[in-house]
């Protein structure tokens, strides 16, 4: 995979991609709207060249472009820089939702290049390139979401990219399957954590809470701009998951009201069984 990479968006994941690819020996350039992020990436040796603002020269020279941007920003970038990309250029992303963004980006980029959408499931509750070293790819899942416009070569490249970055487990899902899954395993969990923190205005929680509360609410420290966009772009799946979760919580509440120990214990056993199944490592 001797290619020249351009990473657009040198934040948490973009910075981690840059760090990982540079350490693996690849030629990496970078672009970001924040001069400090570009300067940091250059200082650390994550990128060879950096641009703040217009980066048509880097886009023109790139063999691979990684869009570490919010979904709406991806489309804006595709419309602006798609015309300067070289034929055969491969473009991928890191966005947390896929429907409603893949097709418009593909159309904006045109037929001379290939956009293969991906989602590294490796976010953190912190942000910014200065925290990118905290991101661990090895235990994380990497999801490829091809469409009918993708080629076998493009999918194979995405798998090689995941391997180069150190991901141990790679899955291939349709955009629809991805967004249904992400509505449950990621967006619902964030919605629960946010709701839990918003349910009680108590400034002394740190004085008497234990690890269970800390673990459950870790992801409540959330990027408001990014997550509001992700929630709204996947609102149908997320609202369905909220309804399903509400039904389970209502069932538990009913057992409490009725003093039904057997009902509670049955839920607890089911929860324990499903958590045990989740804890099993996936086959690589």
């Amino acid at each position: 995979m001797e290619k020249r990479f351009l990473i657009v968006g040198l934040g948490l994941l973009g910075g981690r991609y840059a760090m990982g690819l540079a350490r693996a020996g690849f030629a990496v350039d970078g672009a970001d709207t924040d001069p400090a992020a570009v300067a940091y990436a250059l200082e650390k040796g994550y990128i060879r060249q950096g641009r703040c603002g217009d980066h048509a020269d880097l886009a023109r020279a790139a063999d691979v472009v990684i869009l570490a941007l919010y979904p709406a920003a991806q489309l804006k970038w595709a419309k602006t820089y798609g015309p300067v990309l070289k034929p055969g250029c491969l473009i991928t992303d890191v966005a947390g939702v896929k429907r409603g963004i893949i097709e418009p980006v593909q159309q904006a980029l045109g037929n001379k290049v290939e956009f293969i959408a991906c989602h590294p499931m490796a976010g953190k509750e912190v942000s910014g390139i200065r925290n990118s070293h905290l991101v661990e790819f090895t235990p994380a899942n990497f999801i490829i979401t091809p469409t009918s416009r993708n080629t076998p070569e493009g999918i194979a490249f995405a798998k090689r990219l995941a391997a180069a970055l150190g991901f141990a487990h790679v899955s291939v899902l349709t955009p629809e399957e991805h967004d249904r899954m992400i509505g449950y395993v990621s967006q619902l969990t964030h919605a629960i954590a946010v709701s839990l923190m918003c349910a009680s205005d108590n400034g002394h929680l740190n004085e008497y809470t234990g690890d269970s509360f800390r673990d459950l609410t870790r992801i409540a420290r959330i990027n408001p701009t990014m997550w509001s966009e992700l929630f709204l772009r996947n609102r149908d799946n997320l609202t369905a998951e909220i309804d399903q979760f509400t039904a389970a919580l209502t069932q538990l509440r009913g057992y409490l009201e009725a003093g039904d120990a057997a009902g509670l214990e049955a839920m607890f056993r089911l929860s324990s069984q499903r958590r045990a199944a989740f804890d099993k490592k996936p086959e690589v």
Side-chain angles (χ1 to χ4, degrees), residues 184-254:
Y184 178 60
V185 302
S186 177
Q187 293 183 345
L188 177 64
T189 55
H190 281 79
I192 292 169
V194 167
S195 298
L196 187 56
M197 292 305 302
C198 292
S200 176
D201 183 12
N202 190 323
H204 300 282
L205 291 173
N206 64 320
E207 297 175 8
Y208 45 76
T209 55
D211 289 344
S212 59
F213 189 88
R214 292 189 186 93
D215 291 345
L216 191 58
T217 59
R218 175 183 60 82
I219 56 175
R221 221 173 80 179
I222 196 167
N223 181 324
T225 303
M226 181 182 75
W227 280 99
S228 61
E229 181 177 353
L230 295 178
F231 274 24
L232 289 172
R233 286 184 175 274
N234 201 33
R235 71 183 77 179
D236 57 338
N237 286 315
L238 179 54
T239 53
E241 295 298 346
I242 289 174
D243 288 344
Q244 183 169 273
F245 174 77
T246 301
L249 192 61
T250 300
Q251 181 182 23
L252 190 150
R253 187 179 190 276

Side-chain angles (χ1 to χ4, degrees), residues 21-227:
L21 291 171
R23 288 181 176 176
F26 296 107
V28 184
D29 297 326
D32 197 279
T33 57
D34 182 4
V38 174
Y40 185 86
L42 287 168
E43 175 191 341
K44 292 295 184 180
Y46 297 171
I47 59 176
R48 304 179 314 163
Q49 300 181 79
R51 299 285 185 274
C52 182
D54 182 72
H55 50 275
D57 59 329
L58 300 183
R60 192 176 293 112
D63 299 301
V64 177
V65 177
I66 297 167
L67 300 177
L69 301 169
Y70 299 170
Q74 284 189 34
L75 182 56
K76 182 178 180 181
W77 187 93
K79 291 177 177 179
T80 302
Y81 292 98
V84 308
L85 298 174
K86 66 171 68 172
C89 182
L90 289 165
I91 301 94
T92 188
D93 73 331
V94 304
V97 293
K98 299 305 180 188
R99 294 173 307 153
I101 191 66
I102 294 178
E103 184 176 352
V105 169
Q106 286 176 327
Q107 290 178 348
L109 290 171
N111 295 324
K112 67 178 182 177
V113 301
E114 181 171 357
F115 176 57
I116 176 72
C118 298
H119 184 189
M121 297 282 289
K124 301 286 287 184
E125 67 274 15
V126 293
S127 61
I129 192 171
R130 291 181 178 275
N131 291 309
S132 58
H133 67 284
L134 299 174
V135 177
E136 292 290 342
F137 284 160
T138 302
N141 294 311
F142 188 90
I143 304 172
I144 305 169
T145 58
T147 71
S148 60
R149 296 183 62 173
N150 287 120
T151 64
E153 293 77 15
I155 297 171
F157 166 77
K159 291 179 179 179
R160 294 197 302 273
L161 175 64
L165 288 167
F167 286 90
H169 187 256
V170 179
S171 299
V172 179
L173 301 175
T174 68
E176 293 75 20
E177 289 170 336
H178 170 274
D179 284 4
R180 282 195 299 272
M181 177 275 298
I182 216 71
Y184 178 60
V185 302
S186 177
Q187 293 183 345
L188 177 64
T189 55
H190 281 79
I192 292 169
V194 167
S195 298
L196 187 56
M197 292 305 302
C198 292
S200 176
D201 183 12
N202 190 323
H204 300 282
L205 291 173
N206 64 320
E207 297 175 8
Y208 45 76
T209 55
D211 289 344
S212 59
F213 189 88
R214 292 189 186 93
D215 291 345
L216 191 58
T217 59
R218 175 183 60 82
I219 56 175
R221 221 173 80 179
I222 196 167
N223 181 324
T225 303
M226 181 182 75
W227 280 99

